[in-house]
Amino acid sequence: MSKPTGGRVAEWLVQLIAKQVDDRGLVVWYDPEQAYGAVARELAPPKTTVARYDGGFLKPRQGIDHLLNDERPPRLVVHVPLERAETHSALVELECAGVVMQPRQQPPACNTRLSVVGRGALKSILGEDQVAEIERQAEAGKLSLADLNSLADRGKGVSTGVLALVFGSANPQEVALAFLRGDQHDEEIGKKECGPELRRLLQANFDVELPAPESLASWRHVLGRHLLLTDLLGSLKHQAPAALASVPAAQTAGGGDACVRLARTWRNSRDARDSYVTAANKVEDDLGLGRLELPVESIKENETFLRLDKDMLFKARQNYVDPKIRLEQTRLDSPRSQKTALAADAKGAKKIDKDIERQEALLGELKDFADKLERAAKLNFGDPAKRDSSVVYDPDLNDGVVLNIAPLWELVPWKEAKNSWEELLEGKYEWSSMGKLLRKKGLVK
């Protein structure tokens, strides 16, 4: 059997197909996800004919009809990059004479689902926890055949048994989170000399480069920065500013997905939150994220960095409210010009007056909203003479939703926001970041 150049997972699939050829002779291989095009082109089992569908069934049938005259099925593989149902039973005669291989086919040896083939190929290289994680990503469409082959190459030599003893798990997400939490495992990693295994595990699963000579603390910093920037760039998609164009981040779909999920778990973990905040603040300072112009629409649901939330109100007015006001002002100027050109009793004058009245009301509401938005962003409440103009709205996730939304009480139809705002001004939540911020602003009574 010729050996494919596609990698270990491709080799595994070829072995599965060759086994069915040896057992059944004729294999009809449906590839609806078109995940195995390169494998099909190179496929050449010994003493076996390979017929490939190229847009019509007539040509492949003409090329193999002479093989179907014997009582025994020929050694034949027919590759069809379509759903079986899309062939309208064009190959039913071949199917009956041999065996069908396709995603989710039974028995399992005939199941060519990429996640299943990947599991079979990788389970002897990687630990069960790693393989389960990779299978989940492949099932979700995050990994291609090339990605799986790359993981196989990078994963060779990873021994997860010792890592499981150190971290209590060999699952890449759980190991990485425990490592990011702090240095509590560093001494044990040193004693068991499993740093190289940890490095290979993290590199293979999160598409990150950890320099071999550097310390565990350095790896922790590099990994944290890598996760946070991958998470942010995933939100920005193709709208990242030039300043972020060259920052290191996961390049593969599987690595990106793994990074985003780990960043979310790290951010929401009560035990690991302090390490997350420390890492996020350092990245913010190093890259000056608070000074970058980032698209509001892309980051409005992103929670990677707190300082992006700090600027959200200013950017909401600048990028959305002010342009809307200018647009509606233009729409008001038009009927006003029409009215000026008409006599007061002219036909249509009353309708124009009503249009102007409605447009003026809308414009007034927008301007009022803009004023309230700016007041909340700058915390411009109370006596101007007592306010510190350098202090602006700066939410802290540790304060919780109610205290963070309290300064927006004029904008949200929620009584609890107004109540919490009044309590903050009375000094009730001195422990909170928002309470300290308002005292610094000069608003606490």
Side-chain angles (χ1 to χ4, degrees), residues 1 14-28 43-50 72-78 99 101 110:
M1 178 178 64
V14 169
Q15 291 171 9
L16 292 178
I17 295 171
K19 179 68 166 61
Q20 293 302 317
V21 171
D22 288 341
D23 292 348
R24 302 294 297 273
L26 198 162
V27 175
V28 181
L43 185 64
K47 300 179 181 179
T48 302
T49 301
V50 179
R72 296 182 60 187
R75 291 178 63 86
L76 170 66
V77 178
V78 180
V99 65
M101 296 187 73
C110 294

Side-chain angles (χ1 to χ4, degrees), residues 97-115:
V99 65
V100 171
M101 296 187 73
Q102 64 179 349
R104 299 187 176 87
Q105 180 71 15
Q106 293 297 322
C110 294
N111 185 351
T112 60
R113 182 78 169 165
L114 184 59
S115 57

Side-chain angles (χ1 to χ4, degrees), residues 39-324:
V39 178
R41 286 191 294 273
E42 295 184 9
L43 185 64
K47 300 179 181 179
T48 302
T49 301
V50 179
R52 301 171 181 86
Y53 172 85
D54 61 356
F57 292 106
L58 181 59
K59 185 176 179 180
R61 285 304 302 262
Q62 289 175 337
I64 63 176
D65 276 346
H66 68 283
L67 302 174
L68 305 176
N69 297 326
D70 295 337
E71 294 183 2
R72 296 182 60 187
R75 291 178 63 86
L76 170 66
V77 178
V78 180
H79 175 254
V80 184
L82 297 172
E83 287 281 0
R84 188 179 184 182
E86 293 178 20
T87 67
H88 304 290
S89 301
L91 302 177
V92 65
E93 178 185 355
L94 301 182
E95 293 176 12
C96 292
V99 65
V100 171
M101 296 187 73
Q102 64 179 349
R104 299 187 176 87
Q105 180 71 15
Q106 293 297 322
C110 294
N111 185 351
T112 60
R113 182 78 169 165
L114 184 59
S115 57
V116 176
V117 174
R119 164 177 274 280
L122 298 174
K123 64 183 179 182
S124 62
I125 299 178
L126 307 174
E128 179 63 30
D129 287 333
Q130 274 190 276
V131 171
E133 173 66 16
I134 291 169
E135 183 179 21
R136 189 206 68 78
Q137 289 184 294
E139 190 66 30
K142 301 293 184 180
L143 298 176
S144 66
L145 176 62
D147 293 329
L148 291 175
N149 284 324
S150 177
L151 286 171
D153 291 338
R154 286 185 284 163
K156 290 176 181 176
V158 175
S159 174
T160 58
V162 179
L163 293 178
L165 291 176
V166 174
F167 292 99
S169 170
N171 181 285
Q173 292 277 327
E174 295 175 4
V175 169
L177 181 61
F179 181 63
L180 289 166
R181 188 177 291 122
D183 60 4
Q184 59 268 36
H185 297 290
D186 288 9
E187 183 178 353
E188 192 69 12
I189 293 172
K191 286 181 179 179
K192 290 188 165 47
E193 299 181 344
C194 58
E197 286 79 6
L198 174 64
R199 175 172 174 263
R200 284 191 286 266
L201 177 78
L202 297 176
Q203 290 189 150
N205 286 276
F206 300 102
D207 197 14
V208 60
E209 184 61 37
L210 302 176
E214 297 192 10
S215 65
L216 293 175
S218 175
W219 288 355
R220 190 174 293 111
H221 167 68
V222 172
L223 177 62
R225 177 188 175 97
H226 177 83
L227 294 174
L228 297 175
L229 290 175
T230 298
D231 191 23
L232 174 62
L233 293 174
S235 298
L236 296 177
K237 297 181 174 61
H238 302 297
Q239 296 179 294
L244 298 180
S246 61
V247 297
Q251 299 301 308
T252 65
D257 176 67
C259 288
V260 169
R261 289 191 298 112
L262 179 55
R264 185 184 305 120
T265 303
W266 187 18
R267 182 165 55 245
N268 295 330
S269 170
R270 182 172 299 176
D271 295 338
R273 182 177 296 167
D274 289 346
S275 63
Y276 180 91
V277 172
T278 300
N281 287 343
K282 180 166 179 51
V283 174
E284 285 179 326
D285 292 337
D286 290 347
L287 296 179
L289 294 181
R291 299 188 299 273
L292 297 181
E293 287 296 326
L294 301 176
V296 175
E297 189 63 29
S298 296
I299 65 169
K300 66 181 181 180
E301 295 182 3
N302 181 272
E303 300 176 341
T304 313
F305 299 104
L306 295 180
R307 289 178 198 173
L308 301 185
D309 294 332
K310 177 180 177 179
D311 295 337
M312 186 70 75
L313 300 183
F314 291 103
K315 291 177 179 176
R317 171 162 184 172
Q318 175 185 341
N319 296 338
Y320 291 92
V321 182
D322 287 348
K324 178 66 172 174

